[in-house]
Amino acid sequence: MTLFSTPDSDDAEWVRTTSERLAAARADEDSRRADPVRRRARIGTGILVAGLAVLLVLAFTPAPYVIRQPGPAFDALHTTTVRDDEGNEEEVPVIDIDGATSYDVTSGELTVMTVNIAGTPQYQPSWMELAIAWLSPSKDVLPIEAYYPDGVTKEDRDAQTAQLMQDSQATAIAAALGYLDYEVGTEMVVGSVASEGASAGLLQVGDVLLKYGEAPVSTRADIQAITLPTEPVDITIRRDGTEQVVSITPKLTATDEGERPLLGVSVQEQFAFPIDVDIQLGDVGGPSAGLVFALATIDKLEPGDLGGGDVVAGSGTMSADGKVGPIGGIRQKLYAANEIGADYFIASEANCREALDGGVPGDLTVYAVADLAEAVNVMKTNASEDAPNLRTCADALAANVPQA
């Protein structure tokens, strides 16, 4: 009896084709199920790539901000490198004194602290650079308008900071000499001469006005008290160290107050120093070096070392009467001072909140000062290694000293 029979060729073909159809159907079903997953994966990958591309573009796109960061430090007691008009480098004393006995400071440093501003209207930092700066405690990110108001170019700002540096040097010298009881006067200097004015060809920029007729001229008030005639007047000037008398006929000139006889010059009130103090610091600009310049000038005019060999850092504006004013970027200057190993930092009392916000780097002590005399006392007391009663920035804040 036969229990199984061998399938004929037709049956075998049916089995084969049926198996293939079932396999194809399963594959088609698997493909339909997998397509949404693959599509979602492709869409996600595309979005990720597009997002990374956008972030990459943004990272290197200029941003309307500047980065304020620590700049170099300059020792005002010794020398620095400057370039002449032809680009040649020369090592010169930062402070050079003529007309009085001066002393070389053999130990210690008295450093001018600076900040570096990364970014200009023409070359703005990227968002990537800003992100890195935001994460650094030694850097600030500020709107570009803080340093470059609308319409102000890098060349404009460079000229402004150069003038501020020149002014700060003059007031620092005046404050230092006044502290040392030198007599500091003022004088009126010709700043410009109108090409069509009465003084054209007779007066020059830089001439020092000494007398109008027989009346001495040394202050702005002296100039304002003069009533010019329309007849020739004798004006005594000093040009290149030599006095001479120039006769000038004031010229009727249209003004907001009607026609008036004028000399056709602008004048500036400048200090008249009894000795020559020349300060050079290369391309550094701004007014914040005034405090250190005044301290360094005193140190070079007095025997001995004012700082006792310490490395002293400081920053603050200086008025002619010895008042110390606040400056910008003090946190960056603290980090730079810590980096050079300063023993302590002297700051305007009005900068103390900003100085202490976020903590002072290292173990740097920050002393608060209101005037030049207090700053000198800080250095002398530290030099004597007995400084427990000096006023720190923490003391100034506890006393509610007004802050900038």
Side-chain angles (χ1 to χ4, degrees), residues 7 54 73 83 91 94 121 126 225 289 370:
V54 170
R83 288 185 176 86
E91 194 79 9
V94 175
S126 68

Side-chain angles (χ1 to χ4, degrees), residues 1-7:
M1 179 176 68
T2 302
L3 296 177
F4 299 99
S5 61
T6 301

Side-chain angles (χ1 to χ4, degrees), residues 78-93:
H78 297 100
T79 62
T80 190
T81 301
V82 298
R83 288 185 176 86
D84 60 23
D85 294 338
E86 298 177 355
N88 300 314
E89 291 188 347
E90 182 184 6
E91 194 79 9
V92 299

Side-chain angles (χ1 to χ4, degrees), residues 228-269:
L228 289 171
T230 54
E231 296 84 28
V233 295
D234 288 339
I235 297 177
T236 305
I237 64 171
R238 184 174 67 247
R239 178 182 298 167
D240 298 329
T242 303
E243 289 191 16
Q244 55 184 284
V245 177
V246 181
S247 180
I248 304 175
T249 302
K251 184 177 180 179
L252 285 174
T253 306
T255 71
D256 293 339
E257 302 167 355
E259 280 197 336
R260 295 174 52 197
L262 297 177
L263 294 177
V265 298
S266 68
V267 292
Q268 303 167 345
E269 188 174 55

Side-chain angles (χ1 to χ4, degrees), residues 31-47:
S31 177
R32 285 197 298 271
R33 291 176 178 175
D35 276 350
V37 176
R38 284 197 292 267
R39 282 197 297 272
R40 286 196 295 271
R42 286 196 298 270
I43 292 171
T45 302
I47 292 174

Side-chain angles (χ1 to χ4, degrees), residues 146-397:
Y147 282 87
Y148 296 96
D150 188 35
V152 174
T153 65
K154 181 180 184 303
E155 292 72 23
D156 294 335
R157 176 168 170 75
D158 288 347
Q160 292 168 1
T161 58
Q163 183 60 53
L164 288 171
M165 170 58 82
Q166 186 175 339
D167 294 343
S168 76
Q169 293 173 1
T171 55
I173 295 167
L177 296 185
Y179 174 85
L180 295 172
D181 293 327
Y182 283 87
E183 185 176 343
V184 177
T186 59
E187 56 190 15
M188 302 307 299
V189 181
V190 175
S192 65
V193 181
S195 59
E196 301 296 328
S199 300
L202 299 173
L203 294 181
Q204 299 177 7
V205 173
D207 287 345
V208 179
L209 305 183
L210 301 176
K211 290 182 181 179
Y212 168 77
E214 296 300 320
V217 174
S218 62
T219 68
R220 190 170 299 279
D222 294 336
I223 295 292
Q224 293 170 341
I226 294 173
T227 301
L228 289 171
T230 54
E231 296 84 28
V233 295
D234 288 339
I235 297 177
T236 305
I237 64 171
R238 184 174 67 247
R239 178 182 298 167
D240 298 329
T242 303
E243 289 191 16
Q244 55 184 284
V245 177
V246 181
S247 180
I248 304 175
T249 302
K251 184 177 180 179
L252 285 174
T253 306
T255 71
D256 293 339
E257 302 167 355
E259 280 197 336
R260 295 174 52 197
L262 297 177
L263 294 177
V265 298
S266 68
V267 292
Q268 303 167 345
E269 188 174 55
Q270 296 184 1
F271 295 109
F273 298 126
I275 63 175
D276 292 329
V277 181
D278 183 41
I279 300 177
Q280 295 190 71
L281 205 58
D283 295 330
V284 178
S288 63
L291 169 60
V292 172
F293 285 152
L295 289 170
T297 300
I298 292 170
D299 205 354
K300 292 178 77 71
L301 283 169
E302 287 191 324
D305 293 348
L306 182 60
D310 287 337
V311 177
V312 182
S315 193
T317 63
M318 177 60 61
S319 66
D321 61 356
K323 298 294 189 296
V324 178
I327 47 87
I330 189 168
R331 286 196 54 75
Q332 286 70 40
K333 294 173 182 179
L334 290 174
Y335 275 90
N338 185 61
E339 185 67 24
I340 65 171
D343 292 295
Y344 56 89
F345 193 101
I346 304 176
S348 164
E349 62 179 5
N351 272 135
C352 283
R353 180 181 293 118
E354 183 183 353
L356 300 187
D357 277 352
V360 176
D363 57 357
L364 191 66
T365 300
V366 185
Y367 293 108
V369 299
D371 54 39
L372 181 57
E374 189 173 14
V376 170
N377 184 56
V378 166
M379 293 186 66
K380 287 185 175 180
T381 305
N382 271 285
S384 70
E385 299 182 356
D386 180 23
N389 298 318
L390 294 176
R391 193 166 60 116
T392 67
C393 264
D395 297 328
L397 292 181

